[in-house]
Amino acid sequence: MEQKAEKKMGWEIARDVEKDKPTMGDRAIISGEKWRTLIKYAVLYIVLFIAATWLAGNPFEWTQRLPSEYTKVNGLVGTDTWTIVWWVVLLCAVFEYMDSAGGMGYGTALTPLLLTAGFDPKQVVPLVMITEMVTGLVSGLIHGEFENVEWKLRPMNETTKLMLLISITGMAATMVSISAVYSYFQLHKFWIKLYVTVLLVIMGVCSIMTALKYAKYRPNLMWIFAFVGGFNKGVGGGGYGPVITVGGLISGVPVKSMVAVTSFAEGLTCLAAVVTWFSLVSVGVIVDYMLLPSFVIGTVLAAVGAPYTTRVIPEVFWKWAVPIYCCILSAYSAYKIWPDIAKRLG
């Protein structure tokens, strides 16, 4: 009876794979049919790249080259010129790989780093949303292909219910936070970074506790984490993965399946964010898509290949790797914002 109930959850499939294929070498072998599916997903990125190059050329009045520190130094203000920024490509590839394999890190690490490098939030945050929308959905589906999780609609299993709960709540919270921060309140980027950093530190501490033992499954807790994560995603483009993934571990979801749930839910949450950003055009909000082609190139292979890593490496590794990675992101965010804090205190 207990085994029958477990089969309705959707995360037992990852444990069955480790049981049936006990070595990493066994799990590394996948069928040719799965590879053909991956190629189909990769075609989506070609379409996205074409759209990205079009938007980078400022085809509308509401797409302009914003006068950030970076564009001023490179003489790009007032032009429609753009280029592939290869160090941004590298950063996007690294952080998207960690995000899709470990459930966090893309917007959380990338956003503050690019803001510190001299880009404006409206040159970074909307682009994080667009790329994360595609990579989240694709990565979530590929996690299912690689049997890190099972998505089932008829009858709907628990992981699918959980993903929809997180997505719907996160979409609402994201739309509220984007409208409030960038349209009505127009907060300085320091306060955006400070808020996300403080929350990350808290989640980093909580994440270590989840590695010590498996918690009892309590799905009702995810309403809170879903709202906070969605709000963070709208505010700064980051701080979603750590809150949702760690929140899921605290709520008793096994780590491999929670990473997959986070990826899929983040894709849907970012869909709402993208729609909200485009709707802000009506109130005069300008967005700069100069970096979008660089973002797309960096995220292509990472989002497709990272779920494969999650499949091959055993769950006991991810049980500790995800919390430790969350703590590293927390420390990194605190380190990046400390000079601004010290300056204001001084």
Side-chain angles (χ1 to χ4, degrees), residues 140-157:
L141 292 172
I142 294 176
H143 273 294
E145 289 285 339
F146 285 150
E147 299 171 304
N148 297 322
V149 70
E150 182 181 21
W151 306 117
K152 193 174 181 181
L153 291 174
R154 295 183 181 180
M156 188 178 293
N157 61 10

Side-chain angles (χ1 to χ4, degrees), residues 4-5 114 140 149 158 164 172 182 198 326:
K4 185 178 179 181
L114 293 182
V149 70
E158 192 63 30
L164 291 174
Y182 292 96
V198 171
C326 183

Side-chain angles (χ1 to χ4, degrees), residues 41-324:
Y41 286 135
V43 172
L44 292 176
Y45 287 97
I46 298 176
V47 176
L48 181 61
F49 181 76
I50 294 172
T53 57
W54 175 59
L55 286 172
N58 297 332
F60 305 108
E61 292 183 3
W62 44 270
T63 55
Q64 300 176 17
R65 200 65 71 237
L66 295 174
S68 63
E69 296 174 20
Y70 181 90
T71 53
K72 289 178 181 177
V73 170
N74 290 275
L76 298 173
V77 179
T79 73
D80 296 330
T81 304
W82 64 273
T83 185
I84 301 297
V85 185
W86 290 106
W87 61 269
V88 172
V89 171
L90 178 61
L91 290 177
C92 287
V94 171
F95 291 128
E96 176 56 39
Y97 183 86
M98 295 303 299
D99 189 279
S100 294
M104 66 189 81
Y106 182 64
T108 302
L110 188 64
T111 300
L113 185 59
L114 293 182
L115 294 181
T116 303
F119 292 100
D120 186 276
K122 290 189 284 295
Q123 290 176 313
V124 177
V125 177
L127 278 56
V128 169
M129 304 295 188
I130 292 173
T131 50
E132 197 70 281
M133 174 185 69
V134 179
T135 58
L137 294 175
V138 171
S139 180
L141 292 172
I142 294 176
H143 273 294
E145 289 285 339
F146 285 150
E147 299 171 304
N148 297 322
V149 70
E150 182 181 21
W151 306 117
K152 193 174 181 181
L153 291 174
R154 295 183 181 180
M156 188 178 293
N157 61 10
E158 192 63 30
T159 46
T160 306
K161 292 178 183 177
L162 185 65
M163 184 273 293
L164 291 174
L165 180 154
I166 296 170
S167 300
I168 294 171
T169 306
M171 289 168 79
T174 298
M175 295 174 77
V176 169
S177 62
I178 291 175
S179 301
V181 172
Y182 292 96
S183 179
Y184 296 104
F185 299 135
Q186 299 184 10
L187 294 180
H188 190 277
K189 66 181 181 180
F190 168 79
W191 298 109
I192 295 174
K193 292 191 293 182
L194 180 62
Y195 161 75
V196 173
T197 299
V198 171
L199 186 63
L200 281 179
V201 171
I202 295 173
M203 296 309 295
V205 174
C206 293
S207 68
I208 293 297
M209 298 171 58
T210 68
L212 299 177
K213 64 176 182 179
Y214 284 110
K216 181 181 178 181
Y217 182 54
R218 296 172 292 176
N220 289 336
L221 286 177
M222 287 309 301
W223 287 100
I224 301 172
F225 294 118
F227 184 86
V228 174
F231 188 86
N232 290 351
K233 175 59 70 174
V235 167
Y240 181 90
V243 172
I244 300 300
T245 302
V246 174
L249 300 183
I250 293 173
S251 301
V253 183
V255 62
K256 279 192 175 184
S257 294
M258 194 60 225
V259 168
V261 169
T262 299
S263 293
F264 211 145
E266 189 165 18
L268 291 174
T269 300
C270 288
L271 173 61
V274 171
V275 171
T276 305
W277 271 104
F278 277 104
S279 68
L280 290 180
V281 172
S282 62
V283 293
V285 175
I286 303 297
V287 177
D288 188 347
Y289 293 96
M290 178 184 66
L291 291 177
L292 188 55
S294 301
F295 273 46
V296 173
I297 293 175
T299 56
V300 172
L301 295 178
V304 174
Y308 177 74
T309 306
T310 306
R311 168 193 169 93
V312 173
I313 298 178
E315 184 166 340
V316 66
F317 169 84
W318 295 112
K319 184 182 177 182
W320 282 100
V322 170
I324 291 173

